[in-house]
Amino acid sequence: VAAALRAAADRREGLARLGGQVAARRSRVEAAEAELERLSASLADAEQRREHAQAEFTALETQVAGVEEGEEDLDSEHEGAAAALARAEEAHEAARAELQAAERERATWSARKEALEIGLDRKDGAGALLAAGPAVSGVLGSVAALLGVEGGYEQAVAAALGAAADAVAVASPASAAEAIEHLRAADAGRAGMLVAGPATGGPPPSVPDGARAALDLVRAPGELRGALQRLLGDVVVVEDLPTARELAAARPDLVAVTRDGDVLAAHRAAGGSSSAPSLLQVQAAVDEAADALSAAGHRVQRAQFTLQQTTAERSAAAERVEAALERLHESDARMNAVAEQLGQLGGAVRSAAAEAERLRATRSQVAERLEGDRRELADLEERFEAASAAPADDGDVSTDERDRLAEAARGLGRAETEARLALRTTEERARALAGRADSLQRQAREELAARERAAARRAERAEQARVATRVREGAQRALAAWESSAEQASRLREAAEAARVRFAEEVAGARRAVESLQAEQQRLGDTRHADEVARAQQRWRIDQLRQRSLEELGTDPDVLVEEFGPHQLVPPSPPAPGDPEPETPPQPRPYVRAEQDKRRRAAERALGQLGQVNPLALEEYAAMEERHQFLVTQSDDLKRSRKDLLDIVKEVDERVEKVFSEAFADVAAQYEQVFPRLFPGGEGRLVLTDPSDMLATGIEVEARPAGKKVKRLSLLSGGERSLAAVAMLVSIFRARPSPFYVLDEVEAALDDANLSRLITLFEELRSSSQLIVITHQKRTMQIADALYGVTMRGDGVSTVVSQRLRDPQAPRQGVPQEVPPAS
């Protein structure tokens, strides 16, 4: 019936138009066949070009393989040289750090030694005696400098010596009397003196266990041994005050001194908290600093030598790295040339392949279009033949048979639907019965498994009870054995403790003997080292003097010694200006070192009193005055600039404060109006955290929706917080309008009611500004003037799809129309 109706319609429309369509479609098919042949030829040409470029690319890759093998060797060589350079750098930095640490240590010990030597520089009568030198005969030196005390016992020995520790040692009572006369004549104060002499009295008293004789802790010259024996003969050193108290009670003939400097005897006592260190302690510290300074000097020399070696190694490693890097750069240049050729050939291959792929895709599209055109042509020819062969009668076509068959089909459809419903009901009942049977079987299996587990648990509990019984019996036997072993171990421990105490006493005695020997060995080594250092210094000084004689005087050292040596007479000094001429001219005198040193010191003092003469003082003063004037000018300029900048900063702060205050007042007023519109019945406002300081204040947002007491945003729901933030933005927009706004999914968390309120605000803002809204909400899209979206075409390229819903200048009920896509 449809074919007859279509043939009649075609006949009514005219066989001429149908024939024209058939001819047009046939022409289109012929054109598509010609285009398909042309694309096939182009595709074959592109494939041929791709194969040719691929062959050249493969051949060049074979050449690159040989170049890359040499490149790997150069990389390995460069990496090895770089690693050696890194190791040399690390060694150099370590040597430099060691040298710096050694120099700091040497400077520290040198400063400590100088400071301690300043403390030894006596300013009282003792210092005057020591400075007098040969003028007072019999002065041996400071007691502190002449004595050597075992390490750790300086304070005890100083307390035992008392005032003698700070005294000056003299050779005899006559020397002491001469020294006293010298001090009185020079009005140099008082000084304590220790008179050397032979030892008197009987043998020293015995020393009890746990104590040490004070004489054994002191090293002194032979002439002072007798004086020290008189002072320290009955003095012993103990560890602490309780031991000293017991010793004083048991041995009244001895004087006990603790290592902290407390003195306790039957007839005298002294002690208390520590005071200033004695000269013995200061002298010991000076000696220790001198030893440490010498060791630091050796360490500095070793570090300098190591630094020179590491510097040479680093330079050599750097040269090797530079050579390897230069060869590597040459290889990289060759590789870059080959890589450029490979890139060109690869681009040619990819271009030919892309062109072939594009031609192949185009040919496929043309073939598909040709196939569709052929089907349409066949359909049009069939319709044209049917229209041509149909009778010319245009009467109505009978549809009774069609209606009868349609009614029969509807009856069969209803029967089929009823049969399908019955089948579905039967299947549902069968599935329900099968599920119930499975459930009952599963319950039966679980019950059997539970019974088996209960039986296994009962057997396990019985076995555990038997094991616990045996464990309890074994524990009782073990407890009895342990008690017996504990008693035996206690007896053995007591015996071992007694043996340990005895062995500890023996070890302590041996350790003290070893410490004494080590101290003696250290003293001997220090003396030998000091002698070696002194000899080296003397040799160095002699060499310096010889060199100075040749450089400054131009005279051979031997000739200089021969002409001005100690065997020559010393000419007298000329009289000072203003002094009267002596009646008899002074005669040359024999060389006496003490006298010449005294003359030298007097001359140095006179030269020091004259002070330094600077012939360039006037020029320096003029330059300094000019510099001072320049700095004063610059300072005044800086002050003026600072004042100007502060004025500008003040003006900017005032302007910023004014603008911020006005903007905040406008936004706060708008927020109080916008918030109730988004939250009907709610209250919202903006509050300054520090209104007194508008430049540093913060802003707090208070939001209280209707029916809630909370004001903090953190206690609101997600939608409420989002809506409160939108209210803040809209308040800013209304207080300070802008030409357009970009909103990115601001309504994503809102429900329909809140979205409706927000859309109302959008409508108001749209009257004065342009809104660009990124959204997924359908209702937001409905109020838009135009929609833009991004989609992917069938060829994988993204494209922009646009749709204008209404003309912004036209009324709101415009008809949707196409708009040009955005770029």
Side-chain angles (χ1 to χ4, degrees):
V1 171
L5 292 175
R6 186 168 59 250
D10 291 340
R11 185 175 294 105
R12 284 191 298 269
E13 291 177 0
L15 291 176
R17 179 182 300 175
L18 187 59
Q21 293 178 356
V22 169
R25 186 64 61 182
R26 183 175 293 110
S27 299
R28 185 173 177 179
V29 168
E30 292 175 355
E33 290 177 349
E35 178 68 14
L36 186 62
E37 292 178 358
R38 185 186 65 79
L39 291 175
S40 298
S42 299
L43 178 60
D45 183 46
E47 288 288 347
Q48 184 178 2
R49 291 199 308 272
R50 183 184 65 81
E51 292 176 357
H52 180 68
Q54 183 66 37
E56 293 183 357
F57 183 83
T58 305
L60 191 57
E61 275 187 338
T62 305
Q63 298 177 5
V64 171
V67 179
E68 288 181 347
E69 292 179 358
E71 182 76 12
E72 293 177 356
D73 297 337
L74 291 177
D75 288 338
S76 302
E77 182 181 355
H78 180 264
E79 291 175 358
L85 178 59
R87 291 192 296 272
E89 290 284 354
E90 293 177 358
H92 180 73
E93 291 299 329
R96 179 182 297 174
E98 176 66 19
L99 177 60
Q100 293 175 353
E103 289 178 347
R104 287 195 299 269
E105 182 180 0
R106 182 174 64 178
T108 300
W109 284 111
S110 177
R112 177 177 174 81
K113 182 174 178 293
E114 292 176 359
L116 293 173
E117 287 177 347
I118 292 174
L120 288 176
D121 188 9
R122 309 293 297 273
K123 302 300 182 181
D124 53 1
L129 288 179
L130 296 175
V136 181
S137 61
V139 177
L140 302 179
S142 172
V143 173
L146 294 174
L147 297 184
V149 183
E150 184 176 336
Y153 292 93
E154 293 87 354
Q155 193 170 357
V157 173
L161 290 175
D166 298 336
V168 177
V170 295
S172 62
S175 299
E178 183 181 354
I180 293 173
E181 291 176 356
H182 175 76
L183 293 176
R184 183 177 292 110
D187 194 16
R190 301 178 62 86
M193 285 170 278
L194 180 62
V195 181
T200 59
S206 61
V207 179
D209 295 338
R212 297 186 65 181
L215 282 174
D216 296 341
L217 303 174
V218 180
R219 303 184 301 274
E223 57 268 21
L224 292 181
R225 293 299 297 180
L228 292 177
Q229 184 176 0
R230 290 192 297 270
L231 290 175
L232 305 177
D234 58 345
V235 179
V236 295
V237 179
V238 296
E239 291 294 330
D240 50 18
L241 192 58
T243 306
R245 184 168 56 248
E246 295 175 359
L247 183 61
R251 296 286 299 275
D253 58 327
L254 295 179
V255 178
V257 181
T258 65
R259 297 185 67 169
D260 294 333
D262 298 327
V263 181
L264 189 62
H267 55 282
R268 64 187 179 95
S273 61
S274 300
S275 59
S278 64
L279 289 181
L280 281 177
Q281 293 173 297
V282 175
Q283 184 63 43
V286 169
D287 296 339
E288 180 184 0
D291 296 340
L293 180 61
S294 177
H298 295 318
R299 182 181 174 189
V300 168
Q301 293 177 358
R302 292 194 298 270
Q304 290 175 347
F305 180 72
T306 305
L307 182 62
Q308 293 176 356
Q309 288 184 339
T310 55
T311 302
E313 293 175 357
R314 185 182 65 171
S315 301
E319 292 177 357
R320 291 195 296 271
V321 169
E322 290 296 333
L325 188 61
E326 183 177 358
R327 292 194 295 272
L328 189 60
H329 286 168
E330 294 176 357
S331 177
D332 288 340
R334 294 193 299 270
M335 288 294 295
N336 289 334
V338 176
E340 184 177 358
Q341 296 180 5
L342 285 176
Q344 294 176 357
L345 292 177
V349 171
R350 289 190 297 271
S351 176
E355 183 179 359
E357 186 65 25
R358 180 174 55 78
L359 292 174
R360 191 178 292 107
T362 305
R363 188 181 66 175
S364 300
Q365 293 176 0
V366 171
E368 292 176 359
R369 194 163 56 248
L370 177 60
E371 186 65 24
D373 291 342
R374 285 175 177 173
R375 287 195 300 269
E376 292 179 2
L377 177 61
D379 184 47
L380 289 174
E381 288 178 347
E382 182 180 357
R383 290 175 59 188
F384 181 76
E385 291 176 359
S388 300
D393 188 9
D394 295 336
D396 294 336
V397 181
S398 176
T399 60
D400 295 339
E401 182 65 19
R402 183 192 64 181
D403 295 339
R404 185 184 63 77
L405 293 176
E407 184 64 27
R410 284 194 292 273
L412 292 176
R414 286 192 296 271
E416 181 184 6
T417 302
E418 294 176 357
R420 288 181 181 276
L421 290 175
L423 177 61
R424 294 291 183 272
T425 303
T426 305
E427 290 176 350
E428 290 294 333
R429 290 177 180 176
R431 280 196 294 271
L433 292 175
R436 185 177 180 185
D438 293 340
S439 176
L440 292 175
Q441 290 178 358
R442 185 167 57 256
Q443 291 177 1
R445 289 194 297 269
E446 291 177 354
E447 182 65 24
L448 292 176
R451 291 180 180 179
E452 292 177 356
R453 288 195 297 271
R457 283 197 297 272
R458 285 195 297 273
E460 183 178 0
R461 291 195 190 96
E463 181 63 25
Q464 290 176 354
R466 289 193 297 273
V467 172
T469 302
R470 290 196 295 271
V471 169
R472 183 185 62 183
E473 295 174 355
Q476 291 175 352
R477 292 193 297 272
L479 180 60
W482 178 82
E483 291 176 352
S484 175
S485 299
E487 294 177 358
Q488 184 178 1
S490 178
R491 292 192 298 272
L492 293 175
R493 183 178 60 81
E494 293 175 355
E497 183 67 21
R500 186 189 64 80
V501 172
R502 185 171 64 257
F503 291 154
E505 294 176 353
E506 295 177 358
V507 169
R511 185 177 291 112
R512 287 194 294 271
V514 170
E515 290 176 355
S516 177
L517 294 176
Q518 288 178 348
E520 183 66 20
Q521 181 184 5
Q522 181 67 24
R523 185 185 66 81
L524 295 176
D526 294 343
T527 303
R528 180 180 61 81
H529 180 68
D531 293 341
E532 292 177 355
V533 171
R535 286 194 296 270
Q537 291 178 351
Q538 290 296 333
R539 287 194 297 270
W540 175 79
R541 186 175 180 184
I542 291 172
D543 294 339
Q544 291 292 327
L545 291 175
R546 287 179 175 274
Q547 186 68 22
R548 182 179 177 185
S549 172
L550 293 174
E551 292 178 355
E552 296 182 2
L553 304 178
T555 306
D556 185 80
D558 296 333
V559 176
L560 189 64
V561 171
E562 180 63 27
E563 294 181 357
F564 300 97
H567 59 280
Q568 298 289 342
L569 295 177
V570 179
S573 299
D579 291 346
E581 291 289 338
E583 296 179 357
T584 59
Q587 300 298 323
R589 303 174 58 184
Y591 175 80
V592 178
R593 186 177 184 85
E595 294 179 359
Q596 300 307 318
D597 287 341
K598 186 176 180 180
R599 289 180 62 192
R600 177 180 57 80
R601 288 194 295 269
E604 289 176 352
R605 285 195 299 270
L607 182 61
Q609 292 174 356
L610 290 176
Q612 295 181 356
V613 178
N614 186 7
L616 301 178
L618 293 177
E619 290 80 356
E620 292 180 357
Y621 174 77
M624 188 62 67
E625 185 178 15
E626 182 181 358
R627 176 65 177 170
H628 177 265
Q629 185 64 31
F630 172 75
L631 292 178
V632 169
T633 305
Q634 293 295 319
S635 177
D636 295 340
D637 189 13
L638 288 176
K639 290 179 181 178
R640 288 193 300 271
S641 300
R642 181 176 182 272
K643 182 178 179 301
D644 295 341
L645 289 176
L646 290 178
D647 294 340
I648 294 173
V649 170
K650 183 178 179 181
E651 293 177 2
V652 171
D653 289 344
E654 293 175 354
R655 177 61 179 169
V656 170
E657 184 175 357
K658 179 181 178 182
V659 172
F660 175 75
S661 301
E662 295 175 354
F664 175 76
D666 296 341
V667 173
Q670 292 293 335
Y671 191 76
E672 293 179 358
Q673 297 176 7
V674 172
F675 189 85
R677 297 187 61 184
L678 295 179
F679 293 89
E683 295 180 359
R685 63 174 184 154
L686 302 180
V687 180
L688 295 177
T689 59
D690 188 6
S692 61
D693 188 1
M694 298 298 289
L695 297 179
T697 183
I699 299 176
E700 291 185 353
V701 180
E702 293 185 357
R704 186 183 63 79
K708 293 187 177 181
K709 296 182 179 180
V710 297
K711 294 183 179 181
R712 296 177 57 186
L713 291 179
S714 60
L715 299 179
L716 301 179
S717 64
E720 290 173 340
R721 280 182 288 179
S722 177
L723 206 59
V726 172
M728 179 71 177
L729 290 176
V730 173
S731 301
I732 297 175
F733 297 163
R734 296 178 63 175
R736 294 292 185 271
S738 178
F740 65 90
Y741 303 109
V742 179
L743 304 176
D744 188 357
E745 297 189 9
V746 296
E747 80 285 32
L750 303 182
D751 55 9
D752 292 340
N754 292 326
L755 182 59
S756 299
R757 302 187 187 102
L758 182 61
I759 289 175
T760 304
L761 293 178
F762 285 173
E763 291 284 356
E764 295 178 0
L765 291 175
R766 184 163 59 180
S767 62
S768 59
S769 302
Q770 182 178 2
L771 300 182
I772 302 174
V773 183
I774 301 172
T775 181
H776 288 276
Q777 295 283 359
K778 180 179 179 181
R779 297 184 59 187
T780 306
M781 299 180 191
Q782 290 176 350
I783 68 168
D785 296 327
L787 298 179
Y788 294 93
V790 179
T791 184
M792 182 179 291
R793 299 187 317 203
D795 57 356
V797 179
S798 298
T799 184
V800 179
V801 178
S802 60
Q803 179 71 33
R804 186 182 298 280
L805 301 181
R806 59 183 63 87
D807 188 358
Q809 306 298 331
R812 308 310 300 172
Q813 61 272 16
V815 179
Q817 56 184 336
E818 292 289 338
V819 297
S823 61

